[in-house]
Amino acid sequence: MRSEQYKALTEHLITLELQLQQPETRRSKALLNLLIAKDFEEIAASGVRFGKAHVLQRLPEEQAPSVEAFDFEVRLLSKDLAQVLYKAKLRKAGEMQTKLSLRSSLWQLNSLGWQMVFHQGTAVLPASGPV
């Protein structure tokens, strides 16, 4: 892949990742259905594992957290599979405490476009050293 193609893909995948963090996307089952693959799996920072059906049920009903995502890295694993790595500061609605986590998503290109097939958030403890 040429560097300008890789740069465009990187920007596109980061945009999709950020779109999934937006309250209007999280409230829309149609948008979630488009961005998340049917065989999607997530391992939350809490250690809980769940799939697409749970996401489509839960996200539109919850108040979206405040998320600040940064330090993005995109790795092309094959011509139709990419990993997006980043850090996120997350504050749940009604809470004052911000939690830092390391995030990893796998995006797969299929007939519908790029869809997230896997996501994991790993909590970073306050005294865990450099991140």
Side-chain angles (χ1 to χ4, degrees):
M1 178 178 281
R2 297 187 318 239
S3 64
E4 62 270 6
Q5 290 174 312
Y6 179 76
K7 183 179 179 192
L9 176 60
T10 295
E11 290 173 2
H12 180 64
L13 292 173
I14 291 171
T15 298
L16 292 176
E17 192 77 45
L18 292 171
Q19 184 179 357
L20 277 170
Q21 297 171 10
Q22 298 304 311
E24 53 276 4
T25 301
R26 296 170 72 92
R27 285 190 297 266
S28 170
K29 286 186 180 182
L31 281 174
L32 291 170
N33 201 40
L34 181 64
L35 292 169
I36 297 174
K38 66 179 178 179
D39 56 348
F40 171 82
E41 293 244 353
E42 178 167 347
I43 301 173
S46 63
V48 176
R49 182 177 167 186
F50 50 86
K52 183 174 182 171
H54 180 80
V55 170
L56 291 177
Q57 177 185 358
R58 189 193 76 208
L59 260 57
E61 302 299 322
E62 75 178 16
Q63 189 170 357
S66 167
V67 181
E68 177 190 344
F70 56 99
D71 286 350
F72 282 91
E73 177 186 347
V74 176
R75 299 173 56 209
L76 192 58
L77 304 176
S78 71
K79 65 180 172 86
D80 61 355
L81 184 66
Q83 181 181 34
V84 178
L85 299 153
Y86 61 99
K87 297 172 188 167
K89 291 181 182 177
L90 187 135
R91 189 175 70 242
K92 292 184 178 179
E95 293 184 7
M96 296 302 293
Q97 183 180 9
T98 299
K99 296 178 182 175
L100 179 65
S101 60
L102 301 177
R103 302 285 170 148
S104 175
S105 299
L106 293 177
W107 289 85
Q108 187 170 43
L109 182 61
N110 60 35
S111 63
L112 298 173
W114 286 96
Q115 289 189 310
M116 185 183 285
V117 293
F118 177 80
H119 181 77
Q120 182 168 356
T122 303
V124 176
L125 301 177
S128 65
V131 178

